[in-house]
Structures are given as C-alpha cells and as structure tokens.
Amino acid sequence: DIAPEFGALLVFIEHRFYGESKPFGNDSYKSADTLGYLTSTQALADFAVLITSLKQNLSAVDAPVVVFGGSYGGMLASWFRLKYPHVAMGALASSAPILQFDDITPWSSFYDAVSQDFKSESLNCFSVIKAVWDVLDYRGSNDSGLLELSKTFRACKTVRFPSSLSNWLWTAFTYTAMVDYPTPANFMMNLPAYPVKEMCKIIDSFPVGADVVEKAFTAASLYYNYTGDQKCFEMEGGDDPHGLSGWGWQACTEMVMPMTVSNESMFPPSGFSYEEKSEGCFASYEVRPRMNWITTEY
C-alpha cells in the first residue's frame, strides 16, 4: 500500500528449502546431510547476499532497505536487523514469537492466546471445542467407534487412531487462529474474512443437544473445505502442501520453542520436557536439538 509513496521496490525472497528453492531438488529433505543446510542463520545470510547484489545490479547501492515478516518470517526480520544492521535500516516484525525460547515467556502463552480467540467470539464455541477431545478418545477406543467416527469425519480411509482425528481438529483450530485475518486469504487454506468468528457461528448455529463431535467437525471443515470441493479428507499420511516438514526439521534443530497447554485452554492439558523433545527429534531425524542456540545466536 505504501510502496508507491516511497517509490519503493517490493522484493519477495523465498526461503531456502521452501517452495521452489530446494537446493538438492527432490533429495533436499532426504536426510540430515542435506537438511543440515536448512537453518535460520543460512537463510539470513542468503537474504543479505541477495539484497546486496540486487542493489548493485539495479545501481541502487545507496537505497535504504526495510525488511518485513510475519510469524517465523517476523522472527527472521527481527534477527536480520540485529545481524545485518548495515544491510537493513529497519524491520517490521508481525506476530514474531522471538521470546518463545528458554524461560523468557510463559510456555502456555501460545495455546492460551489461541483459546482466547475462540472464547472472545463465543463461550459456547470455546466450550464445545474444549469438550470434544475426551469424547473422541472415548468413542475411538474400539474399531466400531473408529469406523463411525471415520464416517462422521468423511475420512477417505477408515482411521486407525483416534489421535489422527484429534490432530486434524487441532490443526484446523490452531491454524485458523494464526491466520484470523480481517480479509479473505489463502495463506494456508482458502478462508473467509475473520475465520474464527465464522467457525464459532457454525458451532453456535447447531440446536441445543446436538452432537459435540458433529459440531467440531463441521467447524473444522471451514478450514479444510471452505471452497466445498473436497469429497473426503485425508486424515492419515496425507501430503505436505505447505512445506511443514521443513519446519519440523527447524523446530527439531534450532527452533526449540517450549509449549505447554494450561487447564484454562480449550485443548487437552499437556506439559513440555526437553528430554522428550530430544528423543522425538532423534527418532525423526537422527539429530539432537540445540536447545539454547537461538538465545545464544540472537
């Protein structure tokens, strides 16, 4: 919006290992040997080199640069300004969780904030989501229950684990809060403006006494199927359209952000242990996390 006022050039730089920028082609995610090049420090260095050479190529060596980012991109914007103050004169970091490390901020902050998004729209909406997890576990405890739930959730294949259904709902509610924009957007999925409000409207429109699982499923479908073109849903072993497995690697090596779920949240309470995190990462990637690297490096 403001670029024309400043006669500014907008440049979108793609992060290594995401989108088309795969340094080892289809083998980029194959093992720790190739994934080892996926780090925030390397990405920031890419940006510094690219910006510097771009300015030379455009004969605009003296043009000031401001970097912008949101979420992880916002963290990169903050850190870029710290690490390369001679390249960027300023940074605008939106929703950048640069304090979500070590003991800087309460570990329950993230899921408390997500829950508050729903609670502020409708207490009934919040209560329905809070109630659904135990019901799913109970009904999914045997094969006939899983079969029924698979039908309710319009799963493409019969689901093997109740946790797959919980994860599907969890993802929908969490990501919708993360992209709760005031305008229609398709950053993660095609969504309307204020999607949290729309989800809660769906839940609140059900008659009293309607099934809690049906309510939660229908609300979550807004995230996965707002356009209405999905005939069924992949609950287990689906593809990775947003490159989130790359983030899984980053979260397992340097981005160790401790997160817990408090009793006040709409999600099932859970704790965080560095030891468990380490074991989980070793099982996935055969690497151990650098627990305090971010607060050391930045």
Side-chain angles (χ1 to χ4, degrees), residues 150 153-160 164-165 167-169 171 189 217 224-225 230-241:
S150 299
F153 276 75
R154 288 177 36 210
C156 299
K157 292 196 280 287
T158 303
V159 172
R160 293 175 299 160
S164 302
L165 301 173
N167 291 341
W168 190 82
L169 291 178
T171 298
M189 296 284 199
F217 163 75
Y224 293 105
N225 196 24
Q230 295 293 319
K231 300 285 182 281
C232 64
F233 299 108
E234 285 287 350
M235 298 285 171
E236 292 168 332
D239 57 358
D240 178 33

Side-chain angles (χ1 to χ4, degrees), residues 160-238:
R160 293 175 299 160
F161 309 103
S163 59
S164 302
L165 301 173
S166 299
N167 291 341
W168 190 82
L169 291 178
W170 189 300
T171 298
F173 298 137
T174 304
Y175 287 1
T176 299
M178 283 164 56
V179 295
D180 193 27
Y181 304 131
T183 53
N186 62 352
F187 173 54
M188 296 297 279
M189 296 284 199
N190 269 307
L191 288 172
Y194 298 110
V196 170
K197 186 193 291 284
E198 296 303 318
M199 268 190 177
C200 285
K201 274 186 193 167
I202 290 170
I203 287 176
D204 290 345
S205 70
F206 274 83
V208 180
D211 182 36
V212 68
V213 172
E214 189 70 47
K215 291 180 192 175
F217 163 75
T218 310
S221 298
L222 177 92
Y223 175 76
Y224 293 105
N225 196 24
Y226 179 57
T227 50
D229 53 4
Q230 295 293 319
K231 300 285 182 281
C232 64
F233 299 108
E234 285 287 350
M235 298 285 171
E236 292 168 332

